[in-house]
Amino acid sequence: MAIKPRVVYLGTATQNHQNNTPDTSSGLVSRLQLWGYPVFFASSYQTGFTRLFHMIWVVLAQVNRHSIVLIDTYSTSNFYGAILLSWLIRLKRAPYIPILHGGNLPQRMNSASRLIQQYFIKAKALIAPSEYLAEVARAQNWPVQVIPNGLNLTDYPKSAPNPLTPIKPVLLWVRAFDHIYRPMLALKALKILKQNHPEAELYMVGPDKDGSLAACKEFAKRHHLKVHFTGKLSKKQWTQRAAKVSVFLNTSAIDNAPVSVVEAMALGLPVVSSTVGGLPYLIEHKRSGFLIPETEEALMATQFATTIADLLQGHYDLGFITDLARSKAALHDWSKVRLLWDALLR
């Protein structure tokens, strides 16, 4: 049996800290270890500067020319930390592979800055979780491979919709309360839906990141909306809660390949989502879900509500839509994702 290469993973695994959302790093690290790769990981520290210093220490102590370094790469201020780390890695004569995240990353990738361009050009390869970011990389002639974020499909039992039983107006939204995810848009859609479906209710799952939660609670109270603010839930908790709902909402203003949407598709929930970033690569409109065009928020709220109302009135073949959505989610199963990682790392 061939010896598996030593992997140093520079990412962010802070989901166990209060008010932090689930990350993809910890899941991939545990899988790589399960598959027999020796993995050194940094970092699970809460603050950005502490994480960066821990990453620098791990690079200096653990990276050599026989290592392969994976770097989670975002479009935020952490991006420049990734550039700094890449310099150190090159000094150690080791290859590094950026894993691309974030719906705003194309702006970085298309930047004319030589500093930014060198980060991508000197990478051994690029990993994109969806075709959205892969297309941007291909346009620059960079070596890129699509490896989806992984999940255990068996953890998401699909409930087959009964074509003879109308679905109930019970909605689910899973994200952090942050302006980039537009939680207020979900509430405005519920307010419109309630006009013809007074029994409509919404579960909102996620921690408060920027103070949006208080405004959302006040809006729901003022308009007498039936909203369940659950706070942060574990994956197991919210997927169990999903058994009580009929439609999944994704109202993001910026997105790439959101794991929560893939999980909803795996669970057999029809997804109604904004058309941003990588969502059109994940959802085929009116076939594996529904996409709401980007426009001003009031009109988007109306379109969300109208689409949900059409679902409630049986205007679409939910069996076909949810079956196709689950087949797309199945491409993210770890059994398939492992083959792609093994081929790359070996």
Side-chain angles (χ1 to χ4, degrees):
M1 181 181 293
I3 297 174
K4 294 188 176 180
R6 165 196 182 99
V7 176
V8 177
Y9 194 137
L10 306 177
T12 303
T14 58
Q15 66 180 19
N16 291 328
H17 295 287
Q18 185 177 10
N19 285 347
N20 278 17
T21 50
D23 56 73
T24 57
S25 301
S26 52
L28 179 54
V29 167
S30 63
R31 284 287 156 174
L32 290 171
Q33 291 170 332
L34 182 65
W35 300 333
Y37 291 92
V39 181
F40 296 86
F41 177 75
S43 173
S44 57
Y45 284 102
Q46 172 79 337
T47 62
F49 281 116
T50 309
R51 281 200 306 274
L52 180 59
F53 284 127
H54 185 209
M55 290 177 184
I56 291 171
W57 181 87
V58 167
V59 169
L60 295 175
Q62 302 295 344
V63 172
N64 57 45
R65 63 191 181 89
H66 300 294
S67 308
I68 296 176
V69 185
L70 306 177
I71 309 176
D72 276 340
T73 304
Y74 294 87
S75 59
T76 56
S77 57
N78 292 344
F79 181 80
Y80 291 99
I83 291 178
L84 172 61
L85 292 166
S86 72
W87 289 345
L88 296 176
I89 295 163
R90 292 203 297 271
L91 288 174
K92 304 274 279 189
R93 301 190 177 211
Y96 67 88
I97 300 174
I99 304 175
L100 308 177
H101 301 278
N104 260 358
L105 196 56
Q107 295 178 14
R108 299 284 196 196
M109 297 166 72
N110 288 320
S111 169
S113 164
R114 184 179 177 187
L115 184 73
I116 293 175
Q117 289 290 308
Q118 280 193 333
Y119 174 69
F120 295 109
I121 291 170
K122 293 183 180 295
K124 186 70 172 178
L126 303 176
I127 298 303
S130 75
E131 284 292 336
Y132 168 57
L133 294 178
E135 284 193 0
V136 180
R138 290 191 193 106
Q140 306 269 23
N141 293 318
W142 295 334
V144 63
Q145 182 174 346
V146 176
I147 302 183
N149 296 320
L151 54 75
N152 273 328
L153 194 65
T154 54
D155 292 341
Y156 304 89
K158 180 182 182 295
S159 300
N162 185 341
L164 301 179
T165 306
I167 62 173
K168 297 179 180 179
V170 184
L171 318 177
L172 175 63
W173 181 95
V174 181
R175 243 15 210 278
F177 283 83
D178 187 305
H179 71 281
I180 67 171
Y181 300 129
R182 297 190 291 206
M184 191 64 75
L185 177 55
L187 291 169
K188 290 178 179 179
L190 177 66
K191 178 175 176 285
I192 297 169
L193 183 67
K194 185 185 172 187
Q195 295 172 6
N196 293 316
H197 297 274
E199 74 280 23
E201 55 186 301
L202 170 65
Y203 287 87
M204 301 193 81
V205 177
D208 188 20
K209 296 288 283 188
D210 67 355
S212 300
L213 178 58
C216 287
K217 285 184 174 180
E218 193 279 331
F219 183 92
K221 182 178 180 180
R222 176 158 37 98
H223 295 286
H224 308 288
L225 304 178
K226 190 174 183 181
V227 184
H228 311 275
F229 297 98
T230 69
K232 179 182 175 181
L233 297 179
S234 69
K235 184 172 293 189
K236 183 177 180 179
Q237 287 174 322
W238 86 254
T239 52
Q240 288 176 340
R241 188 70 55 92
K244 301 178 181 179
V245 306
S246 300
V247 180
F248 186 91
L249 301 185
N250 181 61
T251 53
S252 299
I254 300 170
D255 234 328
N256 176 23
V259 175
S260 60
V261 171
V262 178
E263 290 172 323
M265 294 166 74
L267 287 165
L269 292 175
V271 176
V272 184
S273 173
S274 52
T275 307
V276 296
L279 271 306
Y281 295 82
L282 185 61
I283 297 171
E284 294 179 76
H285 183 50
K286 294 186 179 180
R287 286 179 55 80
S288 58
F290 301 87
L291 295 170
I292 305 302
E294 285 294 299
T295 182
E296 60 99 10
E297 192 170 83
L299 181 56
M300 287 187 73
T302 299
Q303 291 176 327
F304 265 96
T306 300
T307 301
I308 297 165
D310 287 344
L311 282 168
L312 296 174
Q313 292 162 19
H315 292 177
Y316 298 100
D317 184 346
L318 274 185
F320 172 83
I321 289 170
T322 55
D323 282 347
L324 183 57
R326 184 171 169 87
S327 69
K328 284 178 168 285
L331 299 176
H332 294 247
D333 189 74
W334 282 118
S335 63
K336 295 180 174 62
V337 172
R338 175 181 181 172
L339 300 176
L340 300 174
W341 278 111
D342 279 340
L344 175 75
L345 295 175
R346 289 182 178 180

